[in-house]
């Protein structure tokens, strides 16, 4: 599935809520996510999103080998096609944790994702499956909005608008300088539920989103449960900030440039092939 290329922000920096961090594979022993205890149960009430497994039926699929491989992703996989892009049989599976309310997710989608889609997704090498993680309470409207959009198969179309929106048209700043009070205030305003919903209503027709249905889904217990489930999964892995991702069992947290992601994916691919 080919998508329109994401917009590129062009003006000044606005703060987001996650430090830059890149996982680097070392030799033949990369850090791997232990998914043995992860299931799709809600963090709120413990009820599963789907039918309960039969007694004695495993709730996860243990990986057949010790190294990175797509089988490790089974407990994390996203079944809602509206939250996925790429060949279902791609050798690399990347589950991302993000939110429309996260500035660094905005930078990742506008700066890194276009080439990632062109060189890895469109070529059949990578499948991306998205889960929502509101890294702070202010990011919750963005997480619910992403979930609700996915419920009518419009997550990626809305992402084209909402990720550039949350950055405020800013470029990321890596010099450690703190944003001004005015910049932070403007960022928090964009994160707010009224501003988020107003922007979505404004662009709904352009992206083919049924706004009335969107609002029903946005307010639904199902959307809240999905966000709670995604958050619980992320926290079990050890993620507390966004963007964060797992590729074939290998975790990576924080914003990464395309060059960093390309290197990371190539190393995971090589490690996966060596253990298959």
């Amino acid at each position: 599935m080919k998508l329109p290329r994401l917009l590129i922000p062009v003006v000044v920096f606005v703060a987001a809520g996650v430090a830059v961090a890149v996982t680097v594979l070392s030799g033949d022993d990369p850090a791997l996510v232990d998914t043995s205890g992860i299931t799709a149960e809600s963090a709120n009430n413990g009820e599963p999103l789907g039918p309960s497994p039969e007694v004695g039926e495993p709730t996860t699929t243990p990986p057949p080998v010790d190294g990175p491989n797509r089988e490790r992703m089974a407990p994390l996989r996203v079944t809602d096609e509206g939250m996925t892009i790429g060949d279902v049989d791609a050798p690399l599976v990347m589950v991302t944790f993000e939110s429309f309310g996260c500035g660094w997710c905005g930078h990742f989608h506008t700066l890194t994702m276009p080439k990632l889609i062109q060189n890895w997704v469109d070529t059949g090498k990578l499948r991306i499956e998205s889960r929502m993680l509101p890294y702070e309470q202010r990011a919750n409207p963005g997480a619910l909005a992403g979930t609700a959009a996915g419920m009518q198969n419009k997550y990626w179309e809305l992402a084209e608008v909402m990720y550039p929106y949350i950055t405020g048209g800013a470029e990321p700043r890596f010099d450690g300088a703190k944003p001004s009070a005015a910049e932070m205030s403007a960022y928090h305003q964009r994160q707010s539920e009224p501003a988020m919903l107003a922007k979505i209503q404004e662009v709904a027709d352009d992206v083919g989103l049924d706004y009335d249905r969107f609002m029903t889904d946005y307010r639904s217990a199902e959307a809240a449960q999905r966000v709670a489930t995604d958050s619980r999964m992320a926290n079990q892995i050890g993620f507390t900030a966004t963007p964060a991702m797992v590729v074939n069992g290998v975790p990576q947290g924080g914003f990464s440039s395309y060059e960093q992601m390309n290197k990371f994916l190539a190393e995971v691919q090589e490690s996966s092939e060596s253990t298959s």
Side-chain angles (χ1 to χ4, degrees), residues 242-262:
T242 50
M245 57 211 68
V246 182
V247 182
N248 280 27
V250 183
Q252 175 162 295
F255 170 87
S256 297
S257 68
Y258 173 72
E259 290 72 24
Q260 290 168 322
M261 278 301 301
N262 187 58

Side-chain angles (χ1 to χ4, degrees), residues 8-248:
I8 304 294
V10 293
V11 264
V12 294
F13 171 80
V14 124
V18 62
V20 176
V22 179
T23 294
V24 179
L25 301 183
S26 56
D28 297 323
D29 189 28
L32 294 170
V33 169
D34 178 9
T35 58
S36 59
I38 296 177
T39 64
E41 292 180 353
S42 167
N44 282 346
N45 54 26
E47 295 179 359
L49 291 177
S52 298
E54 297 296 328
V55 175
E57 179 183 347
T59 55
T60 62
T61 302
V65 292
D66 291 336
N69 60 87
R70 57 173 284 145
E71 284 74 20
R72 283 188 174 275
M73 302 300 294
L76 300 178
R77 297 294 297 270
V78 176
T79 58
D80 185 349
E81 285 296 313
M83 302 298 291
T84 70
I85 55 170
D87 188 342
V88 69
D89 295 318
L92 296 181
V93 176
M94 179 167 77
V95 172
T96 65
F97 294 89
E98 54 195 17
S99 166
F100 289 159
C102 161
W104 279 107
C105 298
H107 293 313
F108 183 78
H109 272 261
T110 56
L111 297 174
T112 303
M113 191 69 81
K115 286 186 178 180
L116 206 60
I117 292 173
Q118 178 181 3
N119 297 328
W120 286 88
V121 176
D122 289 349
T123 57
K125 295 185 291 185
L126 176 69
R127 178 174 174 84
I128 302 176
E129 302 179 350
S130 296
R131 291 186 177 274
M132 297 291 99
L133 173 61
Y135 71 95
E136 62 176 351
Q137 187 61 35
R138 281 188 294 262
N140 199 52
L144 288 169
T147 298
M151 291 166 74
Q152 57 177 290
N153 200 26
K154 292 297 179 181
Y155 175 77
W156 293 95
E157 288 79 0
L158 193 56
E160 293 276 341
V161 177
M162 296 309 293
Y163 281 118
Y165 158 82
I166 194 60
T167 68
E171 292 183 349
R173 178 185 291 164
F174 302 109
D175 59 6
K178 292 183 179 181
S180 68
E183 287 174 327
M184 286 303 295
S185 177
Y187 173 54
H188 291 160
Q189 170 60 25
R190 290 193 299 275
Q191 286 181 306
S192 70
E193 183 176 71
M196 195 71 70
L197 295 180
K199 182 63 176 180
I200 293 170
Q201 185 173 27
E202 174 189 331
V203 303
D205 289 343
D206 294 338
V207 301
L209 185 75
D210 181 334
Y211 187 74
D212 290 338
R213 176 185 167 187
F214 167 83
M215 285 305 304
T216 297
D217 291 335
Y218 178 87
R219 301 293 189 195
S220 69
E222 181 180 357
Q225 185 184 11
R226 290 190 186 193
V227 171
T229 295
D230 292 354
S231 298
R232 184 189 59 81
M233 283 186 175
N235 293 158
Q236 283 185 289
I237 293 168
F239 294 145
T240 57
T242 50
M245 57 211 68
V246 182
V247 182
N248 280 27

